[in-house]
Amino acid sequence: MTSVLDLAPVVPVVVIEDAKDAVPLARALVAGGLPAIEVTLRTPAALDAIRAIAAEVPDAVVGAGTVISEANVEAAAEAGARFLVSPGWTDRLLDAMKTSGQAILPGVSTTSEVVALLERGVNEMKFFPAEAAGGTAYLKSLSGPLPQARFCPTGGISLASAPSYLALPNVGCVGGTWMLPADALAAKDWARVESLAAQAAALRTR
């Protein structure tokens, strides 16, 4: 698989309450140009949602987010997740993620964590919580001494702020939720989700 960081400029970070919404939601995101979809393991429906997307939306690259334990890694891989995203990492969690065979984006928010991951052979990672942890200024500062590290910043990023992140040489994509407004999800307004996804996908050409 192409690196998750190179599939699209934005990775939607999805919280699914009802697994029945997973397939139409994923189809709307893919139709809008966002094939990489991170389904967070924050709800009881998450694994069933990943399973459904993996089985029924072949053009989607579905991943699991909020991976914080070995059990999460095993369950997500079994459900069909093709990449794993964690908000942070420990040696034990990283070992499990690396041995899963899936693409991984362990989370970092400090320079030491970045260096430690590079030491472990990982050069693609999630920067979280992006805005609270220093935003574009912090990532720009990292690009000089650590140019081999590439990031997917997530946390507080919007359509307005995403371009400033994507302009950085060490950012491959950003994670966000703005194309998934709560009212659209509640109304099952998949056309609106597709339209917002298309706006996000167009950021690559700016």
Side-chain angles (χ1 to χ4, degrees), residues 5 114-115 117-119 122-125 142-151 169-170:
L5 272 61
V114 175
V115 172
L117 277 183
L118 292 173
E119 193 175 76
V122 178
N123 66 353
E124 295 187 346
M125 50 201 82
L142 291 180
S143 66
L146 302 170
Q148 65 272 55
R150 297 182 71 216
F151 301 95
N170 55 350

Side-chain angles (χ1 to χ4, degrees), residues 47 50 64 71-84 100-102:
L47 290 171
I50 291 170
N72 286 163
V73 171
E74 293 171 6
E78 185 277 330
R82 295 173 61 186
F83 64 94
L84 306 173
S100 71
Q102 313 307 313

Side-chain angles (χ1 to χ4, degrees), residues 6-202:
D6 297 323
L7 291 173
V10 180
V11 175
V13 180
V14 184
V15 179
I16 295 181
E17 302 289 348
D18 185 345
K20 292 178 183 176
D21 292 339
V23 168
L25 175 58
R27 286 176 176 158
L29 292 170
V30 170
L34 302 181
I37 302 169
E38 176 187 335
V39 177
T40 63
L41 301 183
R42 300 180 194 175
T43 68
L47 290 171
D48 285 339
I50 291 170
R51 195 172 286 110
I53 295 169
E56 300 182 46
V57 191
D59 291 332
V61 178
V62 64
T66 322
V67 173
I68 58 172
S69 69
E70 293 172 281
N72 286 163
V73 171
E74 293 171 6
E78 185 277 330
R82 295 173 61 186
F83 64 94
L84 306 173
V85 185
S86 66
W89 66 279
T90 64
D91 285 325
R92 184 172 177 177
L93 177 59
L94 184 65
D95 287 343
M97 292 175 75
K98 290 183 72 173
T99 57
S100 71
Q102 313 307 313
I104 64 171
L105 288 175
V108 296
S109 60
T110 70
T111 306
S112 294
E113 290 169 334
V114 175
V115 172
L117 277 183
L118 292 173
E119 193 175 76
R120 295 289 307 273
V122 178
N123 66 353
E124 295 187 346
M125 50 201 82
K126 172 178 178 171
F127 180 62
F128 176 83
E131 288 288 281
T136 55
Y138 194 96
L139 286 170
K140 185 176 181 180
S141 296
L142 291 180
S143 66
L146 302 170
Q148 65 272 55
R150 297 182 71 216
F151 301 95
C152 173
T154 305
I157 298 174
S158 65
L159 178 64
S161 63
S164 62
Y165 281 93
L166 293 169
L168 297 174
N170 55 350
V171 170
C173 64
V174 300
T177 61
W178 73 84
M179 72 297 301
L180 302 162
D183 58 341
L185 299 186
K188 304 186 189 303
D189 188 350
W190 309 127
R192 184 178 172 202
V193 171
E194 180 179 339
S195 176
L196 292 170
Q199 273 188 319

